[in-house]
Amino acid sequence: MRFIVVSDIYGYPLHMDWLREYGAIEFLFLGDLCDRPNLSGPDLHSYLFKQRGLECVASRLSRFPRDELHGLGFSAGGTALWRAAGEGMHLERLVCVSSTRLRYERTRLAIPTHTFWGECDPHRPDEEWCRSIPNHSQVYPGLGHSFYHQASGVPSAAHQADLIRVLTD
């Protein structure tokens, strides 16, 4: 099994060692994917969503080799993978974590999709979107947008278990 993991605008999660026993991982930083490796945080967010940088990222991702590739994206990284899959990127499945910009997507992908949200994230899609666009959606009570990285920069053990379950099921 191969995993393509696309970071959020800050480069989180910091490492994916916990996923390595399930397959090969290619970890990609959004800034590198849009040829702006020196941008991060709000500057990268602005470039992605106001200057068409997300289109560049999705185009680059859509040209990945066709393999048994499983996508995992965090925040804007999940949105980029969703767009790439819509443009023809071949994925076996896609898991998006706190990818709140997905609330603007209106087309269900032709692959299994699973989304994870923090209940307290004010930008997460509404319940209707979560029922109709992804195949599965899970909300973590009492958590905010960045629940997927703790002070250590990686998801908690419980969140890792959920991600492993949906990626390898």
Side-chain angles (χ1 to χ4, degrees):
M1 194 174 294
R2 281 187 57 217
F3 301 101
I4 182 169
V5 180
V6 181
S7 76
D8 71 4
I9 59 174
Y10 294 98
Y12 287 111
L14 295 179
H15 63 81
M16 300 298 298
D17 297 342
W18 52 272
L19 189 57
R20 288 199 191 286
E21 73 179 82
Y22 300 94
I25 300 170
E26 183 153 2
F27 184 82
L28 304 168
F29 173 58
L30 276 170
D32 293 335
L33 286 168
C34 63
D35 297 322
R36 299 293 191 275
N38 297 326
L39 292 181
S40 69
D43 292 335
L44 180 55
H45 188 275
S46 178
Y47 180 73
L48 290 169
F49 295 105
K50 294 180 180 173
Q51 299 176 41
R52 304 185 53 82
L54 190 65
E55 286 79 3
C56 172
V57 171
S59 175
R60 180 172 274 174
L61 287 170
S62 69
R63 294 190 301 268
F64 255 73
R66 293 177 158 260
D67 258 355
E68 287 189 14
L69 201 56
H70 300 258
L72 174 58
F74 293 88
S75 194
T79 303
L81 281 167
W82 189 286
R83 293 265 180 96
E87 292 178 15
M89 180 183 194
H90 186 266
L91 292 172
E92 297 295 318
R93 71 183 67 223
L94 175 58
V95 177
C96 298
V97 181
S98 285
S99 300
T100 56
R101 292 278 173 154
L102 290 179
R103 69 187 181 273
Y104 300 119
E105 299 296 324
R106 297 292 175 241
T107 305
R108 187 174 239 209
L109 296 176
I111 58 170
T113 54
H114 196 115
T115 58
F116 289 96
W117 313 102
E119 175 188 41
C120 300
D121 188 336
H123 302 292
R124 71 180 170 93
D126 61 27
E127 294 303 316
E128 175 59 30
W129 187 95
C130 290
R131 281 191 302 273
S132 61
I133 301 299
N135 297 106
H136 302 282
S137 194
Q138 183 171 338
V139 176
Y140 291 110
L143 298 179
H145 179 80
S146 59
F147 73 87
Y148 56 89
H149 66 85
Q150 311 169 81
S152 64
V154 297
S156 71
H159 298 140
Q160 288 176 24
D162 286 343
L163 291 170
I164 289 167
R165 178 180 48 80
V166 300
L167 283 165
T168 62
D169 193 12

